[in-house]
Amino acid sequence: MKIFWVIDTKVTALEGCGLSDDGSTYIFGRTVVPASTEEEAVSALKAHFDQSRIQLEEVISVVAYDEGDWSSDRHLLSKAYRLAKATNDIRSAAFISERSRDYTERKQQGLLDEEK
């Protein structure tokens, strides 16, 4: 039976990759991967990234979709999950650059001056 794994990663975009480039060293991604085991899911995601010219730098977390609490997810995960379940294919929820992620985190913590 396939499990739908949510895999958070840190990646770099290789030349010819379709991810946008804002000069960040890393890009963080959240992807839904159908697979029987966690190891199979990570291996499938690495192969998928290789085809997409994305270098996997680090697997940050792997959680079965049904076991996670996604109530505060802002990364379109529910849509990626529905698509992965309907097609039985790997679906990316979102990618965010290192710079954008840092900016968003600082803003949420109130560390940025509000624009006037």
Side-chain angles (χ1 to χ4, degrees), residues 17-73:
C17 170
L19 296 176
S20 61
D21 181 13
D22 67 359
S24 293
T25 303
Y26 298 108
I27 301 167
F28 296 89
R30 175 165 281 172
T31 308
V32 178
V33 181
S36 299
T37 66
E38 180 177 327
E39 294 77 17
E40 182 185 315
V42 171
S43 179
L45 181 59
K46 183 173 180 346
H48 176 76
F49 280 169
D50 287 347
Q51 289 179 341
S52 301
R53 310 270 314 134
I54 298 170
Q55 174 68 42
L56 178 61
E57 300 293 340
E58 179 183 348
V59 173
I60 297 169
S61 69
V62 181
V63 178
Y65 183 87
D66 292 338
E67 295 176 8
D69 175 9
W70 312 111
S71 58
S72 63
D73 181 77

Side-chain angles (χ1 to χ4, degrees), residues 1-14:
M1 182 175 118
K2 296 277 183 173
I3 298 170
F4 292 87
W5 301 92
V6 177
I7 304 178
D8 288 341
T9 56
K10 179 168 79 170
V11 302
T12 52
L14 301 174

Side-chain angles (χ1 to χ4, degrees), residues 53-113:
R53 310 270 314 134
I54 298 170
Q55 174 68 42
L56 178 61
E57 300 293 340
E58 179 183 348
V59 173
I60 297 169
S61 69
V62 181
V63 178
Y65 183 87
D66 292 338
E67 295 176 8
D69 175 9
W70 312 111
S71 58
S72 63
D73 181 77
R74 303 180 317 257
H75 302 291
L76 304 173
L77 181 61
S78 61
K79 181 177 180 180
Y81 171 71
R82 286 192 309 274
L83 288 169
K85 198 167 182 179
T87 63
N88 208 36
D89 288 329
I90 295 172
R91 297 295 178 163
S92 294
F95 285 97
I96 185 170
S97 72
E98 187 174 33
R99 288 181 180 182
S100 294
R101 182 175 145 170
D102 289 348
Y103 175 83
T104 301
E105 288 175 357
R106 286 194 319 267
K107 188 170 184 171
Q108 288 174 342
Q109 295 170 357
L111 299 176
L112 298 176
D113 292 332

